Amino acid sequence: MKRPTMKRAVWLLAATLVAGMASQVAPAAAQDGKWRMAKPMLAPQGEVVSVAIGKKWYVFGGYDGANVQARGIVNVYDAASDTWTEKKNMQIPAHHASAVELNGKIYVFGGFVGRPGTKVWQPISSAMMYDPEADSWKELAPMPTPRGSAQAVAVGGKIYVIGGAHANIPGKPMTEPLWAGVPQIVVGTVEEYDPATNTWRARAPMPTGRNHFYAGVVDGKIYAVNGRLGAPFVTMSDVTDLVEEYDPATDIWIFKGRSPTRRGDVAGAVYNGKLYVTGGEYEEPRGKVTFWAFEAYDPKTNSWQVLPHMQIARHGFVAGFIDNEFHVAGGSFQSDGMPGIFSQMATHEVFPVGK
C-alpha cells in the first residue's frame, strides 16, 4: 500500500484530533429550536436570581447600578397567561443573592446590600423563605457565613449554599463592606441548611473557591460550572472554565473537566439530566466582554453540547426552564462600568430544547 505523504499524514492527524474533540463538544441537536423574544419584564433589572415552579417563574433582587443599592423586587412570569406580575418585595432587599425551590417554597440566601450615601457591597447572612401561594416572607436561621454571589441547590430535602465572596480583614467580622481597596476573598464554603430543624452545618468546601458561577443538581450530585475568581468585582478578578462535582452522600468533591467557554457571571438551569449554561462577563486590559454562548453539560457522558447562542449577550440575568423551554431575562447587555450608560434590560428570550 502506498505510504501517505507528510502533508496527508498531518491532515489525517488533524482530522483525528477534531473528531476526538467533537465527541466532547457536540453541535446542536437537530430537534432543538431557535431563540425567540418573549414578553419583557416589567422594568429593566440586573443582578437578579430566579426559581421556576411549574408554569411560573419567580425573579428576586435587582441592583441599582448608579447608587449601588439593592432593589429587592419580586416579579413572577406566568407562562400560561404570558404575563408578568409584581409581588411583595423581599423582606430584606439584596442583590447577588442565591435562591432555590424546595417543596413548593422558595429559599433566598445572603447577597449584598448597600449603605446609604456609600458605594459598597455589604455581604449579609440572611436566610428567608418565600411562600408563592401566600406572597409572604418568613425569616429563618441566618447562614453561618455572610456572603454574596453564591449558589443554592437542594438535594435530598437539604439545601446547600456554595461559594461566594466576603471581606477578608484579619480580626474583623466578615460583614465588612466590599469595595475597591478592601481586602476580600472568594470562598469554596459549603453550608447545609435543614428546613426541618432550621439549622446549619458546615460541609466539605468546594476545591475551587468561586463566585458568580452556576450550580445545578443531576441524579443527587451537585455540579459547579464556570465562575469568577479572586474577587466579586469583574474589574479585579479572573474567570474559570472548571467543572467540579460534589456528592452530598459522601461529602466529597472531585474534578470533572472544563467547559467550552471560560467565563463568569453565568446563569443556567437543569432539564432532562443536563445542565444548560449561558451568558456571562469578563474584563481584561484589551476589552470588556459580555457572552451569549449557550452550552449544555451531560454529567452521564461528561460531555458538552454547543447550542445556538442567545440573541442578546448578557450578564447579571436569570435563567430557568418552564417545561422544555429555556427562559432568560434581564441583565446587562455589556460589561459594567462605562460612565453614563445604563445597560440593564427587560428583554426576555426563550429557547425550546429538544426532548
Side-chain angles (χ1 to χ4, degrees):
M1 185 172 66
K2 185 178 179 180
R3 176 176 292 180
T5 64
M6 178 62 70
K7 183 176 181 180
R8 177 169 173 78
V10 170
W11 182 90
L12 288 171
L13 176 59
T16 302
L17 291 173
V18 169
M21 291 172 64
S23 67
Q24 294 299 313
V25 182
Q31 67 268 31
D32 289 324
K34 296 180 179 179
W35 287 96
R36 71 176 190 273
M37 300 306 294
K39 190 71 169 287
M41 302 177 73
L42 298 175
Q45 301 290 349
E47 309 308 346
V48 279
V49 294
S50 71
V51 168
I53 304 177
K55 296 285 187 181
K56 295 184 177 180
W57 187 30
Y58 296 84
V59 179
F60 304 86
Y63 172 68
D64 178 353
N67 300 308
V68 195
Q69 302 298 315
R71 290 175 173 151
I73 64 105
V74 180
N75 291 171
V76 58
Y77 174 71
D78 187 338
S81 60
D82 189 30
T83 57
W84 286 92
T85 305
E86 188 174 1
K87 297 292 185 178
K88 186 179 298 182
N89 276 10
M90 297 170 66
Q91 187 168 322
I92 302 177
H95 59 86
H96 289 88
S98 52
V100 66
E101 180 269 340
L102 181 61
N103 298 327
K105 302 295 191 293
I106 299 173
Y107 295 80
V108 181
F109 303 98
F112 300 111
V113 299
R115 288 182 175 178
T118 65
K119 292 187 175 183
V120 299
W121 291 12
Q122 178 77 55
I124 59 175
S125 59
S126 70
M128 309 293 298
M129 183 182 74
Y130 177 71
D131 185 337
E133 295 297 323
D135 188 24
S136 63
W137 289 90
K138 177 183 178 181
E139 192 166 359
L140 308 171
M143 290 191 298
T145 307
R147 50 203 157 122
S149 302
Q151 282 282 289
V153 294
V155 180
K158 307 288 177 62
I159 295 172
Y160 298 83
V161 182
I162 304 167
H166 55 70
N168 187 31
I169 304 174
K172 292 190 177 182
M174 290 180 289
T175 52
E176 288 294 314
L178 303 183
W179 202 244
V182 176
Q184 50 202 265
I185 187 169
V186 172
V187 297
T189 302
V190 178
E191 290 167 342
E192 177 194 270
Y193 176 71
D194 185 348
T197 60
N198 191 30
T199 57
W200 293 87
R201 68 166 174 165
R203 304 292 278 164
M206 180 168 51
T208 305
R210 59 182 97 179
N211 69 111
H212 284 83
F213 66 107
Y214 172 65
V217 177
V218 175
D219 294 334
K221 294 182 179 180
I222 300 169
Y223 296 88
V225 181
N226 291 129
R228 191 172 291 170
L229 307 175
F233 304 117
V234 66
T235 55
M236 303 163 56
S237 62
D238 201 355
V239 293
T240 185
D241 55 5
L242 288 176
V243 180
E244 293 171 330
E245 177 194 272
Y246 175 66
D247 186 348
T250 60
D251 194 28
I252 292 175
W253 285 89
I254 62 171
F255 167 79
K256 290 296 291 184
R258 297 181 181 274
S259 67
T261 305
R262 181 173 162 265
R263 49 185 165 168
D265 207 2
V266 295
V270 172
Y271 174 72
N272 200 24
K274 294 181 181 179
L275 287 77
Y276 291 79
V277 183
T278 189
E281 179 188 24
Y282 177 62
E283 287 188 12
E284 62 174 37
R286 294 175 296 178
K288 300 159 72 70
V289 179
T290 304
F291 292 89
W292 59 10
F294 182 33
E295 298 151 356
Y297 175 64
D298 186 345
K300 293 184 179 65
T301 59
N302 195 28
S303 62
W304 285 87
Q305 178 185 10
V306 175
L307 296 156
H309 64 70
M310 291 186 292
Q311 297 177 90
I312 303 174
R314 62 184 77 207
H315 73 95
F317 64 108
V318 286
F321 270 101
I322 299 176
D323 295 327
N324 72 311
E325 293 195 320
F326 185 72
H327 291 248
V328 299
S332 295
F333 63 81
Q334 65 166 44
S335 182
D336 287 336
M338 290 189 178
I341 296 179
F342 181 78
S343 60
Q344 291 183 9
M345 304 175 291
T347 57
H348 173 193
E349 301 183 49
V350 181
F351 183 87
V353 172
K355 295 183 179 179

